[in-house]
Amino acid sequence: MVILLVFAYRFFSIYEFRSGDCLAGPAPAALAPAYPPRLVVMSYNIQGHAALLRGGHIAAVAATINRLRPDIVGVNEAHRSTWQARFRDQVEELRRRTGMNVVFGESYEQLGGQYGNAILTRGRIVSHDLHKLPGTGEPRTLLEAKIAIDGGTVLFYVTHLAAWEKLNRDIRMRQIECVARHIRSSTHPSILAGDLNAGPDSPELARFQRDEGFRMVSAPAATHRLTELTIDYVFADRGWQVAAARTVDEGPSDHRPVLVELRHGP
């Protein structure tokens, strides 16, 4: 009965149907190649709802980020004042505990609170935008931020695609195609991080890399502790060189953080 009630709540109060329309702009006439010389990027699904039963969850997430010292973090499953977060603002707590600048992108509201993605960075957030992704079920979004850091400017994207493997493959395909269209309109060096809920050899990721000139720069190691599947990634345009990449087996989340060091130039 409890499971049925939870499903009914999610179906009637959260789930949506979004058409295949994707409101992305045209490709730019020219790219402004303002690469910083070095950038450490993290993709981290923090399992924010675990804070309901686990005290100190976000403090432990922040401690992991502080120890690994990334320049930019793409965060999934962040809660702001939801009942699952004990009505606390996890995004503000991460900002306070890491000292990084932050922007949040809501995917949906939950009984007066918000759930979605976030970007943390020690750089300056010049601007940001939020794009809805198509699909049926739990609403998904793409958060975009223009970040000035170490003499360069990058467009950093974070997203969390539809779950349930093959069952939602068609939905994920439309979502990743929409993500690709937005990245194609980028005017600066670009990086994508997030929980894509698809394996590294999946058709969704293969098409994304083939068509957009993007490549996977994260290590192909298992990121989800329960299933031991690889579903969390960092992708970057081909102007970047990969200096190091690893999946780190620490932190309180059911997802392992992914860490990548990117370089540009000699």
Side-chain angles (χ1 to χ4, degrees), residues 200 216-223 230 232-234 242 244-247 258-260:
M216 187 188 306
V217 294
S218 49
T223 60
T230 304
D232 303 88
Y233 302 94
V234 176
V242 183
R246 60 191 175 117
T247 298
V258 172
L259 200 69
V260 178

Side-chain angles (χ1 to χ4, degrees), residues 124-223:
R124 179 172 61 89
I125 299 173
V126 178
S127 62
H128 59 89
D129 205 351
L130 184 66
H131 312 289
K132 291 184 176 182
L133 299 180
T136 301
E138 185 178 295
R140 304 291 182 165
T141 58
L142 173 69
L143 176 61
E144 168 190 336
K146 181 186 289 186
I147 299 171
I149 185 167
D150 295 343
T153 303
V154 300
L155 276 172
F156 189 87
Y157 300 85
V158 60
T159 194
H160 186 188
L161 301 187
W164 303 112
E165 293 192 83
K166 294 181 180 179
L167 182 64
N168 279 334
R169 173 160 286 165
D170 289 343
I171 293 174
R172 272 196 311 279
M173 192 72 79
R174 295 201 304 273
Q175 290 174 345
I176 198 68
E177 287 174 349
C178 187
V179 168
R181 287 185 59 187
H182 283 289
I183 293 177
R184 193 184 305 136
S185 67
S186 170
T187 54
H188 290 81
S190 301
I191 300 167
L192 170 70
D195 176 356
L196 305 189
N197 275 311
D201 298 324
S202 66
E204 306 95 291
L205 301 196
R207 179 182 296 183
F208 176 67
Q209 295 181 90
R210 182 180 65 247
D211 295 346
E212 301 312 316
F214 249 49
R215 61 177 175 138
M216 187 188 306
V217 294
S218 49
T223 60

Side-chain angles (χ1 to χ4, degrees), residues 42 44-46 65 73-78 94 116-120 158:
M42 178 187 285
Y44 199 6
N45 182 324
I46 65 169
I65 293 171
V73 187
V75 174
N76 302 126
E77 295 191 4
L94 286 173
N117 305 303
I119 296 171
L120 301 169
V158 60

Side-chain angles (χ1 to χ4, degrees), residues 33-86:
Y35 289 85
R38 176 183 179 273
L39 206 60
V40 178
V41 175
M42 178 187 285
S43 180
Y44 199 6
N45 182 324
I46 65 169
Q47 193 192 10
H49 56 274
L52 178 65
L53 300 176
R54 190 183 302 157
H57 181 77
I58 299 302
V61 167
T64 299
I65 293 171
N66 287 335
R67 195 192 76 75
L68 297 174
R69 302 181 64 183
D71 299 308
I72 310 177
V73 187
V75 174
N76 302 126
E77 295 191 4
H79 291 251
R80 305 192 84 167
S81 305
T82 68
W83 61 272
Q84 290 173 300
R86 302 186 184 185

Side-chain angles (χ1 to χ4, degrees), residues 95-116:
R95 184 203 64 78
R96 179 171 52 81
R97 290 183 179 274
T98 64
M100 303 174 84
N101 298 314
V102 64
V103 61
F104 174 75
E106 176 190 310
S107 293
Y108 60 81
E109 291 188 2
Q110 191 180 77
L111 298 177
Q114 297 171 298
Y115 170 91

